[in-house]
Amino acid sequence: MMGDKTLSKGLVQIAPVVRGLLAEPTGDPDVPYAPVILKSLANKKAIDFAASAKNAGGERYPAPLVKGQKPPLFVRPVDAGDSTEDIRRQLGDAISSYSRRFGSKPQIICLSGLGVLYTEKKDDAEAGAPLRNKVALVTGAAGAIGYGICRGLLENGCCLAASDLPGEKLDGFAADLKQTAGQRVIGIPIDVTDNESVVKGLEAVIKAWGGIDILVVNAGIAMVSHLKEIELEAFRKLERVNVEGTLLTLREIARHFIAQGTGGDIIIVSTKNVPSPGAGFGAYSATKAACHQLGRIASIELAQYGVRVNMVAPDGVFSEGKYKSGLWAEVGPDRMRARGLDEEGLQEYYRSRNLLKIRITGRHVANAVLFFATRQTPTTGVTIPVDGGLPDATPR
């Protein structure tokens, strides 16, 4: 028998394909599929059960597990080394055959040698929520903007994977969200500069719910330094997080969305500094501009797969609820010294410089993210400014 790691790896590869095949077409070109939550079992009992059918080709089915329940679909051994298209073809044929016989798609799929995948029945209280059964991953979540985005996604029915660097900060953040959202929240440690960490993070989300539908790229860091004073290694630190971290995350989620076959949404948290950089913010502005440009390129490359990629560009967000902005914790002291202001005075400065004279919050950023995530318009490759109105930062 294969080891547990091999079993898990096989299910992780196959689960998104199955999840895509089980999604129901809606007839809505903006939201073409209604997704399912797909759970997995790869313990010995599940492996033995998956191998229990005498005919694993799908032509004969055992009795239902529960009276009135339709029987599981047993599928002959799937080679995890096969191409995604070969796996989709094999499983698609089996699911189609089952559907013709029983009038609906299977709720339990037994994969010989790998384990069991099954759809989870959702709470009726979430019925009607625009993002019901959708799975979102938010990187760099444990801060002011991340908190606003996570709350907004949860309120709209999402299952949410909040990711950040491992440690007490992420653990406490996830525990806080669980108080109101329960099992719809998991905390996933991801270092976006480490490809293995990104891959394992996505695998953890897939093991929990079968796949991912929405990615919010929020991980980013900043520093204050004039160009003539920037240390190269300090610049490279921003480049690793803001540029390489975005690239690694986009690369892995693109592969996932293509395998799942139901499209997807990527929302990148950009910044007003892309169109309107400021003195002393050169490293941040340049690396976030590269991050932003990667998003625009992804929108071109992934549109053919039904994936939409958009950006939101906030100005200074200092806090949301009890969560402080990590970015402003880093750069705020320098900004305050440069202007002779305390923290409240700095926030007032940023409020008073925009046309609407409004303080930008994490909730405001979340509303822009939700505009894209709920697909209010057929839009990709664009940016929503969330800055209260800054004429020099208007995308042009």
Side-chain angles (χ1 to χ4, degrees):
M1 182 178 293
M2 292 180 286
D4 288 343
K5 287 187 177 179
T6 305
L7 292 170
S8 296
K9 195 74 174 177
L11 279 182
V12 164
Q13 180 187 356
I14 292 168
V17 178
V18 172
R19 185 169 183 258
L21 291 169
L22 294 181
E24 292 290 350
T26 65
D28 181 347
D30 281 316
V31 187
Y33 296 99
V36 298
I37 296 299
L38 192 65
K39 309 292 283 186
S40 61
L41 290 172
N43 54 32
K44 185 179 184 305
K45 185 176 181 180
I47 301 300
D48 291 345
F49 179 75
S52 64
K54 292 181 179 179
N55 182 320
E59 295 177 3
R60 293 190 314 181
Y61 302 86
L65 297 177
V66 179
K67 187 176 181 180
Q69 181 187 64
K70 292 178 181 177
L73 166 62
F74 284 82
V75 182
R76 68 176 176 80
V78 174
D79 187 348
D82 287 347
S83 71
T84 298
E85 284 308 310
D86 286 341
I87 293 172
R88 178 179 287 109
R89 190 178 303 108
Q90 177 184 337
L91 294 174
D93 289 345
I95 290 171
S96 294
S97 176
Y98 182 101
S99 299
R100 286 192 296 271
R101 177 164 184 170
F102 294 102
S104 65
K105 293 179 179 180
Q107 294 178 304
I108 303 171
I109 297 179
C110 300
L111 298 160
S112 182
L114 291 175
V116 176
L117 296 170
Y118 63 96
T119 58
E120 182 179 65
K121 181 174 170 48
K122 296 297 290 180
D123 191 336
D124 290 340
E126 296 171 29
L131 299 179
R132 182 175 186 263
N133 280 1
K134 290 205 170 184
V135 177
L137 169 63
V138 180
T139 68
I145 290 177
Y147 181 68
I149 292 171
C150 288
R151 287 290 302 272
L153 289 167
L154 288 169
E155 289 166 6
N156 280 267
C158 258
C159 290
L160 174 78
S163 81
D164 214 302
L165 292 173
E168 293 181 4
K169 181 180 179 182
L170 174 60
D171 295 342
F173 183 82
D176 191 4
L177 293 173
K178 281 177 178 288
Q179 290 183 22
T180 54
Q183 297 304 306
R184 287 193 294 121
V185 176
I186 53 175
I188 300 293
I190 296 178
D191 177 354
V192 297
T193 69
D194 181 334
N195 187 64
E196 184 178 1
S197 179
V198 174
V199 170
K200 287 183 176 179
L202 267 64
E203 288 178 350
V205 183
I206 293 167
K207 288 176 185 176
W209 295 309
I212 303 168
D213 305 289
I214 300 165
L215 169 68
V216 181
V217 179
N218 182 54
I221 59 174
M223 72 173 183
V224 175
S225 181
H226 287 82
L227 296 180
K228 62 185 176 64
E229 299 162 348
I230 290 178
E231 295 288 339
L232 184 56
E233 190 51 42
F235 181 89
R236 286 172 173 164
K237 182 179 179 181
L238 268 69
E239 190 275 335
R240 283 192 291 270
V241 175
N242 298 347
V243 185
E244 292 181 27
T246 300
L247 173 61
L248 293 175
T249 309
L250 289 176
R251 185 175 70 182
E252 295 307 319
I253 200 67
R255 293 169 177 173
H256 169 75
F257 282 155
I258 293 169
Q260 190 165 260
T262 53
D265 286 279
I266 300 169
I267 301 103
I268 294 175
V269 179
S270 183
T271 170
K272 78 94 192 172
N273 284 68
V274 171
S276 179
F281 249 27
Y284 178 71
S285 299
T287 54
K288 288 296 284 186
C291 161
H292 188 105
Q293 192 75 330
L294 286 170
R296 294 180 65 198
I297 294 166
S299 73
I300 298 168
E301 294 181 354
L302 298 179
Q304 62 182 307
Y305 303 107
V307 177
R308 302 182 183 186
V309 187
N310 293 289
M311 284 68 67
V312 298
D315 196 13
V317 176
F318 292 84
S319 63
E320 179 68 26
K322 68 180 182 181
Y323 291 94
K324 299 285 187 179
S325 164
L327 185 152
W328 283 101
E330 180 71 25
V331 305
D334 289 288
R335 283 302 204 225
M336 286 186 281
R337 281 193 297 270
R339 293 180 171 83
L341 301 170
D342 59 13
E343 184 175 346
E344 185 61 30
L346 185 65
Q347 293 188 44
E348 179 60 21
Y349 166 80
Y350 276 87
R351 183 195 68 79
S352 64
R353 79 176 186 175
N354 68 60
L355 295 175
L356 298 177
K357 309 303 179 190
I358 193 168
R359 183 172 293 185
I360 307 304
T361 69
R363 176 61 68 165
H364 292 140
V365 182
N367 289 340
V369 168
L370 287 166
F371 176 83
F372 292 128
T374 57
R375 298 194 161 194
Q376 296 299 299
T377 59
T379 301
T380 193
V382 306
T383 305
I384 294 181
V386 188
D387 57 20
L390 297 172
D392 62 336
T394 302
R396 58 189 182 274

